Amino acid sequence: MNARSTGQHPARYPGAAAGEPTLDSWQEAPHNRWAFARLGELLPTAAVSRRDPATPAEPVVRLDALATRLPDLEQRLEETCTDAFLVLRGSEVLAEYYRAGFAPDDRHLLMSVSKSLCGTVVGALIDEGRIDPAQPVTEYVPELAGSVYDGPSVLQVLDMQISIDYNEDYVDPASEVQTHDRSAGWRTRRDGDPADTYEFLTTLRGDGGTGEFQYCSANTDVLAWIVERVTGLRYVEALSTYLWANVDADRDATITVDQTGFGFANGGVSCTARDLARVGRMMLDGGVAPGGRVVSQGWVESVLAGGSREAMTDEGFTSAFPEGSYTRQWWCTGNERGNVSGIGIHGQNLWLDPRTDSVIVKLSSWPDPDTRHWHGLQSGILLDVSRALDAV
Ligand SMILES: NCCCCCC(=O)NCCCCCC(=O)O
């Protein structure tokens, strides 16, 4: 593959030269001043737990508030490989569950729930007038000229309505989603792979079609690239500035980065269940968080109203939710309760139940990424808990 220029990217730290520090220069001045405090952005880093691994966290089971209506909830959480589960009604944590070995302040990978966070950052920048959703993507990232993103609007990327030669089969080694992973450092590189995520995005092609839903993880990374271009910040910093710094989080979130330091917006965020619930709380509070307004009420209303039912083609989703749609990086069930969710493979949900003003977080480690069987069990729990909240 011929490496092509993907243009200027935000400096890793103020004053850093483009592309610096690299794996070979981070130990040298002046880079060491930044790198010694940010090593996890350059080298895979293991945490030294403050909890003795020999005495893993005790399980936490606080499901009493739901026990009358859902006496088998704990069993269902166990059967669906739940690591953390939390129900936040208003500002009250009504129920919580953490499996043995996973503590309430442990972070968990969100997979594609990360997309809903990125969508929120884009929403904030649209509110500020810094992104116009009707503009073509290439207005912000001209380096995507010639790719499938040469033509579609930012809104079509947000709503995933672009026909892309991208196979999102997580277990197919020949799929584009696996090449994407390799470019981002999630899998071992192969000869000829793009050097990084930016370059991978420039390689994507399509038939020029728009208007039909196609779930494609690359779209979110394009959004993150746009975020970088309009803010001059790295995506990791923008996520902090526009979202995380405002939600009164207990802990820092983390995001995986590729070798250029580009955050894997489509699936790489990890955080605690309680902090993720705070993002849901902000949505149900009309875009307002303890640190101030994150997105406009109008943005939140657009998400809760759902997207185009006609555009939705995902039979897996519509078999469960016949009125389902996807908009602004959120899955919208179109059911009578108006449930909307961030959804990630292997059982991650940030589920909003506007009717009871509740947020349900479920973080899991299903053995399979994305089967109807597992989604069915998971949706069943989320719907049953939502209905139980009507009476609690
Ligand atoms: N390769 C990096 C991470 C990709 C994460 C992909 C992901 O989490 N996808 C979620 C798919 C949700 C499907 C929902 C449904 O069909 O019901």
Side-chain angles (χ1 to χ4, degrees):
M1 163 149 334
N2 288 333
R4 58 179 279 184
S5 167
T6 54
Q8 282 276 93
H9 303 299
R12 293 238 201 190
Y13 62 86
E20 290 287 348
T22 65
L23 214 42
D24 297 313
S25 65
W26 65 267
Q27 300 184 59
E28 295 155 16
H31 306 308
N32 60 344
R33 177 138 281 192
W34 175 85
F36 287 9
R38 296 276 189 289
L39 198 55
E41 297 191 34
L42 291 155
L43 305 182
T45 306
V48 180
S49 176
R50 56 203 159 133
R51 207 171 57 228
D52 181 354
T55 49
E58 292 290 319
V60 174
V61 182
R62 273 205 323 116
L63 301 172
D64 305 2
L66 299 166
T68 314
R69 302 246 149 204
L70 298 172
D72 59 350
L73 181 57
E74 185 177 349
Q75 186 192 334
R76 291 170 75 186
L77 293 176
E78 276 167 16
E79 282 167 2
T80 52
C81 314
T82 308
D83 299 314
F85 172 81
L86 184 148
V87 179
L88 180 71
R89 190 177 57 184
S91 56
E92 182 194 5
V93 178
L94 204 72
E96 269 182 304
Y97 164 98
Y98 298 90
R99 68 156 167 85
F102 190 88
D105 64 351
D106 282 350
R107 282 185 285 249
H108 195 285
L109 181 60
L110 304 186
M111 292 291 190
S112 288
V113 177
S114 310
K115 293 181 170 72
S116 309
L117 309 189
C118 182
T120 306
V121 173
V122 173
L125 291 165
I126 291 173
D127 292 338
E128 285 185 358
R130 298 170 83 179
I131 297 177
D132 177 351
Q135 284 294 315
V137 171
T138 46
E139 179 70 22
Y140 301 101
V141 186
E143 291 81 0
L144 286 169
S147 80
V148 67
Y149 294 104
D150 193 347
S153 67
V154 175
L155 187 59
Q156 285 166 330
V157 182
L158 273 165
D159 287 358
M160 301 229 191
Q161 291 187 13
I162 306 170
S163 171
I164 308 183
D165 300 337
Y166 184 105
N167 177 2
E168 182 108 11
D169 182 344
Y170 305 105
V171 295
D172 178 355
S175 66
E176 281 75 14
V177 74
Q178 288 212 4
T179 311
H180 192 178
D181 277 0
R182 295 196 303 275
S183 308
W186 271 40
R187 293 176 186 270
T188 307
R189 295 181 57 75
R190 293 188 195 161
D191 286 348
D193 279 342
D196 54 52
T197 318
Y198 300 114
E199 192 181 311
F200 170 75
L201 297 173
T202 68
T203 68
L204 292 173
R205 300 292 181 266
D207 60 13
T210 52
E212 244 187 40
F213 176 74
Q214 180 192 333
Y215 190 81
C216 175
S217 284
N219 289 329
T220 313
D221 290 350
V222 167
L223 294 173
W225 196 348
I226 294 171
V227 167
E228 289 196 341
R229 277 291 154 82
V230 304
T231 61
L233 300 171
R234 296 190 302 138
Y235 178 67
V236 55
E237 296 160 331
L239 185 58
S240 169
T241 300
Y242 286 92
L243 180 63
W244 215 252
N246 292 312
V247 295
D248 200 23
D250 288 331
R251 295 202 67 188
D252 293 343
T254 65
I255 184 165
T256 65
V257 293
D258 70 9
Q259 61 159 5
T260 70
F262 185 44
F264 207 34
N266 82 81
V269 176
S270 296
C271 69
T272 70
R274 288 177 187 167
D275 285 343
L276 186 59
R278 291 180 159 102
V279 176
R281 188 66 260 150
M282 174 277 296
M283 290 295 285
L284 290 179
D285 286 340
V288 177
R293 179 167 287 287
V294 173
V295 270
S296 61
Q297 175 102 28
W299 177 267
V300 173
E301 282 169 3
S302 298
V303 170
L304 296 180
S308 163
R309 172 67 194 86
E310 293 68 46
M312 171 50 73
T313 51
D314 185 320
E315 283 178 16
F317 191 62
T318 54
S319 63
F321 301 107
E323 299 304 316
S325 62
Y326 187 91
T327 192
R328 293 162 174 77
Q329 306 282 293
W330 292 83
W331 294 87
C332 311
T333 66
N335 68 2
E336 73 291 350
R337 306 187 66 86
N339 292 127
V340 163
S341 192
I343 305 182
I345 53 173
H346 294 278
Q348 325 314 322
N349 277 87
L350 170 57
W351 176 271
L352 308 183
D353 188 49
R355 186 181 285 192
T356 61
D357 194 30
S358 301
V359 178
I360 307 173
V361 170
K362 188 174 185 302
L363 302 172
S364 330
S365 34
W366 300 342
D368 305 309
D370 196 31
T371 61
R372 271 196 205 193
H373 165 75
W374 288 109
H375 278 300
L377 294 177
Q378 183 103 343
S379 305
I381 293 172
L382 295 163
L383 285 167
D384 285 349
V385 172
S386 300
R387 291 185 192 118
L389 290 171
D390 287 337
V392 174

